[in-house]
Amino acid sequence: MPSLALPQRTAADLRRINADFYESLWAGSRLVDPRRFNTWPMVRDLAMALPRRLEVAPGLRPRLPLDGTYFVDLSPSATKGLRAHGASAMRGSLSALPCPTAGFDLICALDILEHLPDDERALQELSRVAAPDARMLLSVPLHPEAWTDFDDFVGHARRYEPVMLVRRLAAHGWTIEQSAVYGMQANSSRLLAIGQWYLTHHRERALWWYNHVLMPLGLRLQKPLQWRAGMGSTQGVDEVVLLCRRT
């Protein structure tokens, strides 16, 4: 069941764009404590019950507790920063996780699946490392018709149709238990255009402003997540975070 993608760029193009963008981002970032994110109330309760934990591609914005979680990220700056704070982190790809089969009870993969040229392989890997009855926190952008220049710039390969996403997860043995509207993307197309211009022409300055001004402001302004059963209504929803259960 293929996802609906926008194939203007090759897989190699996507890998290069993502590697360049996120390595530049994490190289100038400081680690943000997981307790500062609006995912923490859900994560805290899950982590207490599920001690074998994996988070994939957290960068320096991990959502699972640093203590006791195994982190995998492609970025050298991200893995170095995580280790500097006492976390167990290894470089690796979601397409070939350096992890044991059925080794984890709680998996977190936020804002990553949409970047990968082969998301089917990624879903296979997430399912492989999940123990029976495991939980997974997953976030993805929705609605291909809502594609903007922002998606191109940050290296997205696709947006997901909600119905197809539910079916694809089910095909890999996952049931969506709860969901919530998620993400911090600006609604103003003009603001996005200005941000992309600065990132293109003055990347170092733009990333400084993001890391030191916009990100802290976004953390202060974020609202508590409103969880609802199943996928829920996705009308007008740009991005969703899902709590899935391995069945």
Side-chain angles (χ1 to χ4, degrees):
M1 286 180 288
S3 58
L4 186 54
L6 300 180
Q8 295 95 334
R9 294 170 295 186
T10 66
D13 289 335
L14 284 168
R15 293 190 187 98
R16 175 183 52 79
I17 291 168
N18 281 296
D20 290 348
F21 182 86
Y22 288 98
E23 181 59 20
S24 296
L25 177 62
W26 305 134
S29 299
R30 296 178 180 178
L31 187 138
V32 178
D33 192 296
R35 292 171 293 184
R36 297 189 63 189
F37 291 101
N38 59 2
T39 47
W40 181 250
M42 170 72 77
V43 163
R44 177 190 57 213
D45 295 341
L46 288 170
M48 289 180 63
L50 304 171
R52 297 188 301 168
R53 304 186 299 266
L54 168 69
E55 185 164 359
V56 183
L60 292 175
R61 309 283 187 261
R63 306 307 169 94
L64 299 189
L66 295 181
D67 186 23
T69 300
Y70 186 63
F71 296 94
V72 175
D73 200 293
L74 272 179
S75 165
S77 294
T79 52
K80 180 180 178 181
L82 289 163
R83 290 173 185 159
H85 286 80
S88 177
M90 177 177 286
R91 288 191 66 193
S93 167
L94 178 49
S95 298
L97 290 169
C99 303
T101 297
F104 299 97
D105 304 304
L106 176 59
I107 299 170
C108 185
L110 303 183
D111 300 320
I112 177 63
L113 206 60
E114 65 271 17
H115 291 270
L116 300 177
D118 188 356
D119 62 336
E120 182 66 19
R121 174 62 180 167
L123 285 170
Q124 290 172 0
E125 278 294 274
L126 290 171
S127 302
R128 179 184 67 80
V129 302
D133 204 38
R135 304 299 194 279
M136 177 171 66
L137 280 170
L138 179 74
S139 69
V140 294
L142 299 178
H143 308 304
E145 67 273 14
W147 190 273
T148 70
D149 289 342
F150 176 83
D151 295 281
D152 279 315
F153 191 81
V154 298
H156 286 176
R158 69 192 62 80
R159 283 175 168 265
Y160 290 86
E161 286 286 5
V163 172
M164 289 299 298
L165 178 61
V166 173
R167 291 175 181 171
R168 294 191 67 200
L169 288 170
H172 287 276
W174 294 98
T175 298
I176 299 174
E177 290 192 323
Q178 298 182 63
S179 66
V181 178
Y182 186 67
M184 298 169 60
Q185 181 175 337
N187 292 322
S188 169
S189 58
R190 181 173 177 80
L191 183 60
L192 284 173
I194 293 172
Q196 288 174 215
W197 186 89
Y198 271 96
L199 280 167
T200 302
H201 300 282
H202 301 283
R203 172 169 288 196
E204 186 174 345
R205 180 186 299 178
L207 290 177
W208 187 95
W209 273 93
Y210 175 80
N211 284 319
H212 294 85
V213 178
L214 298 179
M215 185 66 191
L217 182 62
L219 289 171
R220 287 181 176 273
L221 296 178
Q222 65 183 334
K223 298 177 181 180
L225 293 176
Q226 301 296 316
W227 293 94
R228 65 265 180 102
M231 173 65 84
S233 173
T234 60
Q235 184 175 359
V237 175
D238 183 75
E239 186 173 5
V240 68
V241 58
L242 308 171
L243 175 62
C244 305
R245 185 170 190 161
R246 185 84 167 131
T247 56

